[in-house]
Amino acid sequence: RKYAMFTFLIIFAIFLIILNVTIRKNDSKQNKCEEDFWEQERQANFARRKDISNLQYLTIPIEKIPHNLHTEAEEILVNLSNCKMLNLAGITNTELKLTYGAANLEELSEYDDNFTRFVQAVSTYAAELVEAGQTDDARALLELAVSYHADAISIYTTLAKIYQDAGQSAKIQDLINSASQINTIASKMITEKLQSYLP
């Protein structure tokens, strides 16, 4: 009985030692990650301004927006047609500052916000168009958003349903291919969801 207790104490002591070493390693890794982050952030804050006039800005062709439902989503899209947009999903502010300079962050964030509003408005307006029986208009608008690598699941599923109803399963596969190129964690969820629309 004493031997069993002694063995247990030795095993327990070894466990505590291993646990302590593991915790220390994890703490060390965490501290290193934090140090690296703040060093990168420091460098980013001193990065010089770059010329951003030649970036591939996204715009909304006004002819892609049907002007007959007069909803809030339609109005948002019309207003955004006069604005520059950038899809910066998956890119951190630190990366933006390092690449384009800290002085450009506010402007770049504005273009990214415009794109986010565009994606939300397309999702809403396309659903409104489908409900109003204007499927072709909804399709054109959704295809534009997909070409800009929007990452809203509803955009892809609404478009997939349109293709499904039209018997165009090949286009659903094209949608899956497009979704796989999205630069956010939504990519996997969208591609998995689209699989259910295939015949």
Side-chain angles (χ1 to χ4, degrees), residues 49-194:
R49 181 196 290 268
K50 306 282 177 53
D51 180 15
I52 61 173
S53 61
N54 294 321
L55 294 181
Q56 293 185 333
Y57 293 103
L58 307 174
T59 57
I60 309 171
I62 194 66
E63 65 273 10
K64 295 283 187 182
I65 309 171
H67 295 70
N68 50 4
L69 295 188
H70 309 295
T71 65
E72 181 181 356
E74 177 188 326
E75 183 180 355
I76 290 172
L77 289 172
V78 171
N79 290 337
L80 285 173
S81 67
N82 298 311
C83 302
K84 292 179 180 178
M85 303 186 302
L86 283 173
N87 182 358
L88 300 177
I91 305 174
T92 67
N93 284 347
T94 301
E95 290 169 338
L96 286 175
K97 288 187 288 187
L98 281 170
T99 305
Y100 302 108
N104 282 321
L105 180 62
E106 185 176 350
E107 187 175 352
L108 291 170
S109 296
E110 177 187 337
Y111 300 148
D112 185 47
D113 288 343
N114 288 343
F115 184 76
T116 299
R117 292 173 61 215
F118 161 74
V119 172
Q120 293 169 343
V122 166
S123 182
T124 300
Y125 196 38
E128 292 169 342
L129 288 166
V130 169
E131 187 175 350
Q134 300 179 31
T135 307
D136 288 343
D137 289 333
R139 172 177 173 155
L141 196 56
L142 291 165
E143 288 176 339
L144 176 68
V146 169
S147 73
Y148 289 167
H149 302 296
D151 64 351
I153 293 178
S154 59
I155 285 178
Y156 289 83
T157 55
T158 302
L159 187 52
K161 182 66 168 62
I162 291 173
Y163 290 153
Q164 186 182 57
D165 291 343
Q168 298 177 311
S169 57
K171 287 190 174 293
I172 298 175
Q173 186 58 56
D174 290 341
L175 268 186
I176 293 173
N177 295 337
S178 296
S180 67
Q181 298 173 25
I182 296 173
N183 190 32
T184 70
I185 58 174
S187 175
K188 184 178 179 181
M189 292 185 291
I190 295 172
T191 53
E192 289 177 351
K193 186 71 175 176
L194 290 174

